[in-house]
């Protein structure tokens, strides 16, 4: 067991933090900082998993915070065009896409192939996907909302509008933890319907770099940790 330090006042034990975890918020509100902090906590505590980063910027930022040889040796950096030769599941993978040059359609196709290859090889650990709902197909969505497996899922996205009504309902029924930055009114309304602790009016008033969270029995309001610490 170890501790996640995810906000200035938000600290949870690894047993308290339940997956699937949903991270929502409009661009520029602080989601990327939260993802970096989350991944650094996992690496620091030798927790295996994968971050799929469609733009590649998160991967570069995380690498800058890996200062110890121990942390560097625990991380493997790949491009989504590479396969997984000799992968034994013992490290944390940072996987970069090339969305800015290839666009969403090509990136999504490559991301789907890579993520399916990974989950077929790795039955536990964390699977963290940024821009998650732009980069999945029906098979991956079914995997994300399946709570029977050991894989722990964190899905990050700006909005839920890319999901059908049925998909949105399935997702919001199974998520165990939610971190919400400022989002659009419609998205806030959908969250409030499934988790009444979230209030649409309160969500619209969230300040930049602040977030509301619901994790198990805990609900609160916090701000991102900054600057991030090297490990």
């Amino acid at each position: 067991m170890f501790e996640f330090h995810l906000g200035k006042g938000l600290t949870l034990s690894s047993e308290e933090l339940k997956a699937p975890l949903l991270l929502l918020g409009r661009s520029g509100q602080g989601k990327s900082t939260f993802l970096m902090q989350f991944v650094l906590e996992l690496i620091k505590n030798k927790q295996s998993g994968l971050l799929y980063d469609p733009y590649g910027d998160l991967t570069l930022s995380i690498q800058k915070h890996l200062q110890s040889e121990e942390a560097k040796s625990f991380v493997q950096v790949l491009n989504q065009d590479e396969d997984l030769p000799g992968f034994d599941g013992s490290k944390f993978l940072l996987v970069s896409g090339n969305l800015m040059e290839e666009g969403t359609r090509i990136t999504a196709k490559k991301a789907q192939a890579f993520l399916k290859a990974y989950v077929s090889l790795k039955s536990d650990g964390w699977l963290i996907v940024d821009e998650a709902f732009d980069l999945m197909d029906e098979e991956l969505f079914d995997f994300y909302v399946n709570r029977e497996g050991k894989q722990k899922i964190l899905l990050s996205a700006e909005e839920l509008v890319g999901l059908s009504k049925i998909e949105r309902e399935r997702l919001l029924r199974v998520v165990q933890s939610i971190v919400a930055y400022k989002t659009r009114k419609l998205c806030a309304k959908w969250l409030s319907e499934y988790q009444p602790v979230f209030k649409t009016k309160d969500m619209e008033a969230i300040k930049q770099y602040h977030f509301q969270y619901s994790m198990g029995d805990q609900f609160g309001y916090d701000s991102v940790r900054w600057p991030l610490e090297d490990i």
Side-chain angles (χ1 to χ4, degrees):
M1 186 175 71
F2 62 96
E3 289 188 332
F4 280 96
H5 303 278
L6 299 175
K8 289 186 176 178
L10 175 59
T11 299
L12 294 169
S13 74
S14 55
E15 292 184 348
E16 290 179 289
L17 183 57
K18 305 297 182 183
L21 190 155
L22 179 62
L23 175 62
L24 287 174
R26 299 170 73 171
S27 179
Q29 298 302 305
K31 295 195 314 299
S32 293
T33 303
F34 185 95
L35 282 176
M36 286 192 288
Q37 178 68 42
F38 198 97
V39 171
L40 288 169
E41 293 282 355
L42 291 173
I43 294 170
K44 181 173 66 176
N45 290 284
K46 297 293 190 295
Q47 304 298 302
S48 63
L50 176 148
L51 166 68
Y52 180 78
D53 168 20
Y55 292 99
D57 55 340
L58 282 175
T59 295
L60 292 174
S61 296
I62 290 169
Q63 285 182 278
K64 291 178 182 178
H65 290 286
L66 304 179
Q67 295 299 313
S68 70
E69 290 304 317
E70 185 177 19
K72 291 177 183 177
S73 66
F74 187 67
V75 172
Q76 184 175 358
V77 181
L78 293 174
N79 183 278
Q80 67 177 11
D81 292 319
E82 300 180 68
D83 55 17
L84 292 165
F87 176 66
D88 62 5
S90 63
K91 293 188 176 185
F92 197 97
L93 299 183
L94 301 176
V95 180
S96 295
N98 194 16
L99 193 147
M100 292 302 291
E101 290 189 14
E102 297 182 329
T104 301
R105 181 176 56 82
I106 294 174
T107 300
K109 186 176 181 180
K110 291 182 177 180
Q112 290 160 15
F114 194 100
L115 291 169
K116 288 174 186 177
Y118 175 77
V119 299
S120 70
L121 293 171
K122 180 68 174 167
S123 62
D124 59 3
W126 279 92
L127 179 63
I128 302 170
V129 184
D130 195 16
E131 305 294 341
F133 306 135
D134 291 333
L135 303 172
M136 70 183 183
D137 57 10
E138 291 184 17
E139 183 181 347
L140 278 175
F141 181 79
D142 286 340
F143 178 79
Y144 294 157
V145 299
N146 177 9
R147 293 174 59 187
E148 297 177 2
K150 294 181 180 179
Q151 201 108 38
K152 294 180 280 292
I153 310 293
L154 188 165
L155 302 176
S156 174
E158 287 195 25
E159 302 289 348
L160 296 172
V161 293
L163 301 177
S164 69
K165 185 175 186 293
I166 292 174
E167 288 174 330
R168 188 170 63 248
E169 290 175 348
R170 286 183 64 196
L171 176 70
L172 292 176
R173 284 194 197 103
V174 303
V175 291
Q176 299 292 292
S177 305
I178 296 175
V179 174
Y181 288 80
K182 188 178 183 68
T183 188
R184 299 188 197 282
K185 185 174 183 178
L186 182 59
C187 195
K189 176 179 178 292
W190 287 333
L191 280 185
S192 67
E193 290 173 353
Y194 284 87
Q195 292 219 17
V197 291
F198 289 100
K199 307 296 183 186
T200 303
K201 184 177 180 180
D202 292 341
M203 293 186 68
E204 288 184 280
I206 294 175
K207 298 178 181 178
Q208 189 178 30
Y209 309 129
H210 290 68
F211 58 88
Q212 287 186 331
Y213 62 88
S214 175
M215 297 182 174
D217 296 330
Q218 297 195 47
F219 175 77
Y221 184 80
D222 205 349
S223 59
V224 299
R225 291 171 63 89
W226 189 263
L228 299 181
E229 297 178 359
D230 295 337
I231 60 173

